[in-house]
Amino acid sequence: MKSRNKKECVAMLLAGGQGTRLGVLTHDVAKPAVPFGGKYRIIDFPLSNCINSGIDTIGVLTQYQPFELNQYIGNGQPWDLDRLSGGAYVLPPYVKGKEGEWYKGTANAIYQNINFIDRFNPEYVVVLSGDHIYKMDYDKMLAAHKAKGADCTIAVIGVTIEEASRFGIMNTDPDDRIFEFEEKPKQPKSTNASMGIYVFTWSVLRQYLIDDEADPKSQNDFGKNVIPKMLADGKKLYAYRFQGYWKDVGTISSLWEANMDLLNASSGLNLNDPSWKIYARNSAEPPHFAAGSAEIQNSIVSEGAMVLGSVKRSVVSHSAYIGLGAIIEDSVILPDAVIKAGAVVRHAIVAEGAVIGEGAKIGETQKAPVKGEWQIAVVGPGVKIAPSVVVAPAEMVKEDK
Amino acid sequence: MKSRNKKECVAMLLAGGQGTRLGVLTHDVAKPAVPFGGKYRIIDFPLSNCINSGIDTIGVLTQYQPFELNQYIGNGQPWDLDRLSGGAYVLPPYVKGKEGEWYKGTANAIYQNINFIDRFNPEYVVVLSGDHIYKMDYDKMLAAHKAKGADCTIAVIGVTIEEASRFGIMNTDPDDRIFEFEEKPKQPKSTNASMGIYVFTWSVLRQYLIDDEADPKSQNDFGKNVIPKMLADGKKLYAYRFQGYWKDVGTISSLWEANMDLLNASSGLNLNDPSWKIYARNSAEPPHFAAGSAEIQNSIVSEGAMVLGSVKRSVVSHSAYIGLGAIIEDSVILPDAVIKAGAVVRHAIVAEGAVIGEGAKIGETQKAPVKGEWQIAVVGPGVKIAPSVVVAPAEMVKEDK
Amino acid sequence: MNGVMGVIFASDNENKLNELTIHRTTASLPFCGRYRLIDFTLSNFVNSGITQIGIVTRSNYSSLMDHIRMGRDWDLNRKNGGLSVFPPFVLNSSREMYKGKIEAIYSIQGFIRRSPEEYVLLSNSNIAMNIDFDEVMAAHLAAKADVTMLVHKAKTTTSRRLVVETQDGEVKDLYISVTPSSEDKLLGLNVYLIKKDLLLSLVEHEYARGHVDFEKDILMKQLGSIKMHPYLVKHHAAIVDDVRTYYNESMKVLDPAVREELFYGDSIIYTKVKDSVPTLYKENACVKNSLIADGCEIDGLVENSILFRGVKVEKGAEVRNSIIMEDGKVMENGSVCYAITDKNVTVTAGRTISGYESYPVVIVKDKTV
Amino acid sequence: MNGVMGVIFASDNENKLNELTIHRTTASLPFCGRYRLIDFTLSNFVNSGITQIGIVTRSNYSSLMDHIRMGRDWDLNRKNGGLSVFPPFVLNSSREMYKGKIEAIYSIQGFIRRSPEEYVLLSNSNIAMNIDFDEVMAAHLAAKADVTMLVHKAKTTTSRRLVVETQDGEVKDLYISVTPSSEDKLLGLNVYLIKKDLLLSLVEHEYARGHVDFEKDILMKQLGSIKMHPYLVKHHAAIVDDVRTYYNESMKVLDPAVREELFYGDSIIYTKVKDSVPTLYKENACVKNSLIADGCEIDGLVENSILFRGVKVEKGAEVRNSIIMEDGKVMENGSVCYAITDKNVTVTAGRTISGYESYPVVIVKDKTV
């Protein structure tokens, strides 16, 4: 008689720390809960990729107050993760022994949850990051892992040789076996950048995690410790080449760029794909309304929004309000934000529930955009900007102003 | 526009510590996960009471490794708790600030989860214990709380004056307003014992928890600190009188007794009640089988069990096996336990997956039972007892023998 | 509202909706860009705590089954209660379709009887409103009524409507009107709250005598013998019973005040979640006074219109005063005016569809013009 | 098995099950104390990763709808795929019931075509077995077959069975047998794996010519033109097609070896969870060689029998060689022998029901004897 809880593959999603590089956007929420693309949150991408790849058991490792993610994920229904066994579990570091400790590094985060993984007795564990926007079939990567008889398979994406020194680079033999891993090399030998997506044979990883934890000198990090150790031991590590859109949205400018990529068919980021839907918790709002005074071009607008003003090259999220005569350009307006009449918002991110007063001016209101020199202003969640106040380009507003 | 996450009432289930009085039964699992009554676990009772009372948002506070409870509760489907918003959340003490800390007391456990409760913006919070067997409509208690305009309502059950000194006793005026609370009084003034079930007006409790936490002398316990403080402040505390079966199953003998109460219609514990079903995660087993050699009387037997021997006055849980010629009397056989041919089990609890070897003798094998003098032997989860080994009455076996 | 169960009649008046209900019941008629009509009734029920719900179908109910699945999107996938869908047969094994509401109720009397609730809320599915049934119940109890019937103030038209005349807060007279009135009257919304036992005994009595029409054979006949209380719905309530009312009621939703009442009232209106992407406005988009669902791609002109999910309006195309249902496509320089195009209609490049405000043209499902 | 969708025919052969299928389809026939026949096929599908499943009903399908709800108990409440139940009409708006499997498949061709899967598994619902369809697919690919048909070794009886004659591992001949054989033959289990495109083109071709019988008009006709591979099911497989086989196949499950193969094989067999309490044995209980579901109360004698959920056997009552379905009641000193009592049958005090092994008596639902 077989075990009734067994899963072939469990995914562990490293939802990261407080995401300090995203500033006010992650002041109250974990990075994966940051809104994206009008109706999504970042975590919708790995969760949707998992279920679309046939993986229905996911541990979400978060350092942060788990309540927001707990509530957003809920019973997992929006992602079809409300399964009889399995589903999505939020796993903050919990108290054990005397007190418990923060996740010291990526490897330690998985180490602290060995018992969770063992309950499903999986053969493979997929380790994912919580701050990337991409669509990927992990099942194909798993198939490659099995076909090679690998201990670890690492997804890589081709970057330019100039970019390569900003990434972890995998140097491989012609069969894609990794013989060397270099973290941000000055003289990169190849352009295979690690995407932070790993498939491990669980029995192998499990032992490495235990050994790594026992090593007082280790930083308990996959890239810095576990992968180099496995390479040194002659384990079979393979690169899995990914083609397609992939972007780390760990900074304000990359988050803004990824939103802009949605407006541009040639960016490669196409979410309107029935064969690979990205799911999100639905806000139960009526369709959006474009008033008689609205002007909207080259933009995306989501449900429940109300547009009376002008919107160009921008993302207007669900339940946002753009008042009469307001001008929104090259900006991302997050859910429930209110832009009052006559306000001007350019090159900015206006966070959830922020209120921009009448006639206020947010961000670059003069110059035309020059690629690579964008400076994105950010108005934090719930922040109220008084009428006619000016927020400078690249300014990050934490408090009412 | 109203808040879409609001819940009128949220339940917080104090799933307790490691339940040391239950010995080996709680060595690997939290007390609420201990099996009961052939197919249930203790936590099925408060969870089922909640959903039957219309409360669909429940925080389960456990000190212990959360994985087993996490997996048992899963998406909440067996209890109809797989709701679009709300559901059952396992909340272990998590790391915050520098390190995080154990729940110091019952009040501190709720205190540490104020953010969780606030997310649902409830008017009332029901605080429950995780080690009681009973059926109760919390909605009626909530209605009484509202009708009295109470700050706190405490469920009480009538006990005999002799028993009263073992309980927290509520002394009330004729309107059921509590004027005094005595913990285990030597000279009880009344027989209203607290059942450990509280309804609080959340805004009131929230402030008391914050004040209690700030008090370095407090033990952060509801019974010892919060309730006496509320009484001293003249807050409106009312007793809610409960009629019906209620039993604390925090000890081996009370757990055994509660199981035996299922066999006795006059005990008042009737689970076969279509209007108040107790739900449990289903084991997906075929019906149980009574072989040609089976003798079963005055017992309950659950799905997937296989009975070849003799079972009297006992509870045989799902997927248990009772071999040819084995004799089971006045005992509780937990799921997946195997009693091999010719073994004798009397006045015992045989835990999950334990194996009793051929001809072994467990528990009281001589004397007839005398009420009040039962001595229950316990064989721990997964423990293997070799053929013909004798386990004495009241012995607790932790390891193979 | 633990004591109330709901019964929804999925099909009513559908003859008059002709082309729009060829492939579906009234209940599953698309409405307001992303909803089906039944979403309003289901959501009002769920938001008022009514979770034991039977839906009686009549015919063409595949699209309804597909829409509601087992109610997961309304949180109705429950162990106790939840949704029960009844096929359109009189009694279980027969193949005869039920003829009127009395027969429909009679055919599911077992379900009604077995349910633990004391009260039944009966509702047609051709109503869009946002209402708290807790208040209806409170009014019912306060009035010590036997039946509470929901009414609103409106003018009669040529549609068949139940006119409710009251005196001292009680129903004095009931009759059917098919002639337009110049002033507002109290018109029935076909929603009734009644005790289960009373309902079943009335239905049994009339059914045994061959009667099938709930309004005529029960309500009108019982005038004076049972106490009927009219409950006035003050917020917007839309009744859809023919193509003209469908068009007019849809267009009313372009008014922000009406939308406020329909969508931001007591109930959250749920619908089947389709996980569409947000709508993309392209270079040449020009959209005015329109309600636009997710998943659209717009590169043309849209004015005073409602676009359902997944609609494409190409460059140079124009959509005016129209309703374009799911996956509709207006190709380059195509033009649609005063029209209702059903799901998946394509207007090829340069073609024009044009009706009149008083007589909007309807293009049936899957057609290419 | 992401590339395979399933189609289950809920009704087949039900004429011969007479009293047992008056109120239900074959698919929802109670079996083995807590299951319905369709549980086995559904569970095998789900356990093999087949989650896009269409069920074609024919009539009396209320009990089936009630049983499967939206598939939550089988983990089939999914956004993509999951369960689709098709009403018994030919095409959408007609009221004609489909006549044979070809017509049934033709009537849901849209659903089959739209599903993203490449293969279709067709199955009747009158089969109880435990099988891993991954292995069937592997065999299908290895054999480069066009159709793989599941077969088992058994003797023919007077039941209508498809006999499969093979040569070199391929199907050589197919014919229907209704006469008992003395030796084992390969008999078809009415489960077929076939590419979607091939299935649809065969069905379209035959349906256009008025043919409706899948076995006769497609399989037998295509012998020699398409490659048919027999897949031998070695574990226990029960086919229920009349009252006698229902009784015999039920009794076989009292054998622990058969139970092992049916319930502890590759698939977990799921069913609708009813949250019954465990069974209570009272003072005078004496139960031998019987399969007892949860929720029973036994104070009498039960021998060589199967009790479904919620059955009561009172003091002095005797149940022998019988099948007592849900909520049956044998009152004091009542006696039941060689009988099948349908749901909610009461045998009043002192009454006796007795049939013969070769001809078990059937008591219809809700009867009091």
Side-chain angles (χ1 to χ4, degrees), chain A residues 2 4 78 80 83-84 279, chain D residues 75 77 79-80 265-266 268:
Chain A
K2 69 194 153 302
R4 303 200 159 197
D80 225 18
R83 303 270 60 89
L84 285 181
Y279 303 103
Chain D
D75 222 12
N77 52 340
K79 293 192 117 167
N80 292 318
D266 290 302
I268 299 169

Side-chain angles (χ1 to χ4, degrees), chain A residues 9 15 17 46 52 56 65 90 125 128 130 134 154 172 222 234 251 282 307 321 324 327-328 355 372 393:
Chain A
C9 184
N52 288 335
D56 66 7
Q65 288 218 10
V90 176
V125 169
L128 305 169
Y134 65 114
I154 302 175
T172 62
F222 277 106
T251 66
N282 192 277
V307 180
Y321 176 88
L324 195 68
I327 295 173
I328 313 293
V355 178

Side-chain angles (χ1 to χ4, degrees), chain D residues 90-290:
Chain D
V90 176
L91 294 181
N92 207 357
S93 52
S94 153
R95 291 178 186 186
E96 198 186 336
M97 305 278 170
Y98 75 82
K99 283 183 285 286
K101 249 184 243 178
I102 289 179
E103 189 160 73
I105 296 168
Y106 187 80
S107 75
I108 60 162
Q109 56 171 323
F111 163 73
I112 295 177
R113 215 181 289 280
R114 274 194 311 277
S115 300
E117 290 81 7
E118 191 183 351
Y119 287 88
V120 185
L121 241 171
L122 303 170
S123 180
N124 282 5
S125 56
N126 63 335
I127 313 161
M129 61 179 174
N130 191 315
I131 188 173
D132 182 354
F133 283 116
D134 281 328
E135 289 175 14
V136 177
M137 179 53 109
H140 181 85
L141 294 175
K144 296 192 168 62
D146 293 309
V147 177
T148 291
M149 53 176 71
L150 270 56
V151 299
H152 70 155
K153 275 196 183 134
K155 295 181 180 54
T156 56
T157 62
T158 53
S159 295
R160 194 183 147 84
R161 292 295 297 271
L162 183 73
V163 180
V164 179
E165 304 219 330
T166 64
Q167 195 170 38
D168 306 327
E170 270 192 54
V171 175
K172 201 190 77 188
D173 199 11
L174 291 169
Y175 61 89
I176 303 291
S177 161
V178 288
T179 49
S181 67
S182 57
E183 63 206 22
D184 277 358
K185 299 195 170 184
L186 286 184
L187 302 184
L189 289 164
N190 297 314
V191 179
Y192 306 102
L193 179 63
I194 181 172
K195 264 201 183 152
K196 193 160 97 174
D197 296 344
L198 178 59
L199 174 72
L200 289 177
S201 78
L202 290 171
V203 161
E204 219 165 284
H205 185 266
E206 294 304 327
Y207 187 67
R209 282 152 189 80
H211 300 147
V212 294
D213 187 320
F214 188 79
E215 279 78 14
K216 198 179 101 213
D217 298 322
I218 290 185
L219 295 181
M220 292 184 192
K221 223 184 257 179
Q222 296 295 330
L223 267 173
S225 9
I226 64 176
K227 194 168 177 185
M228 297 184 206
H229 176 68
Y231 179 92
L232 181 62
V233 174
K234 294 195 181 98
H235 284 164
H236 186 75
I239 294 265
V240 171
D241 46 18
D242 56 18
V243 170
R244 209 170 28 87
T245 55
Y246 174 77
Y247 181 80
N248 291 342
E249 291 298 341
S250 294
M251 288 302 152
K252 277 185 193 164
V253 179
L254 294 179
D255 177 351
V258 167
R259 257 190 346 269
E260 186 69 28
E261 291 188 359
L262 262 189
F263 294 107
Y264 300 105
D266 290 302
S267 294
I268 299 169
I269 307 300
Y270 297 107
T271 187
K272 184 177 181 183
V273 171
K274 294 216 177 163
D275 301 292
S276 314
V277 298
T279 280
L280 180 64
Y281 287 80
K282 295 186 171 176
E283 190 67 35
N284 308 294
C286 179
V287 179
K288 308 281 182 190
N289 193 40
S290 295

Side-chain angles (χ1 to χ4, degrees), chain B residues 94-148:
Chain B
Y94 65 97
V95 178
K96 18 190 180 223
K98 283 211 199 78
E99 39 214 13
E101 50 183 359
W102 285 107
Y103 294 145
K104 286 180 286 183
T106 50
N108 174 258
I110 310 285
Y111 171 82
Q112 290 201 30
N113 289 285
I114 284 180
N115 283 346
F116 170 81
I117 297 171
D118 279 348
R119 294 219 143 255
F120 299 99
N121 189 21
E123 270 130 66
Y124 307 101
V125 169
V126 179
V127 176
L128 304 170
S129 291
D131 48 6
H132 296 155
I133 301 292
Y134 65 114
K135 299 187 296 181
M136 179 173 176
D137 188 344
Y138 306 134
D139 195 41
K140 287 189 184 158
M141 183 171 170
L142 185 61
H145 180 86
K146 289 186 214 169
K148 302 273 191 189

Side-chain angles (χ1 to χ4, degrees), chain A residues 322-333:
Chain A
I322 314 294
L324 195 68
I327 295 173
I328 313 293
E329 288 179 7
D330 306 293
S331 292
V332 182
I333 311 299

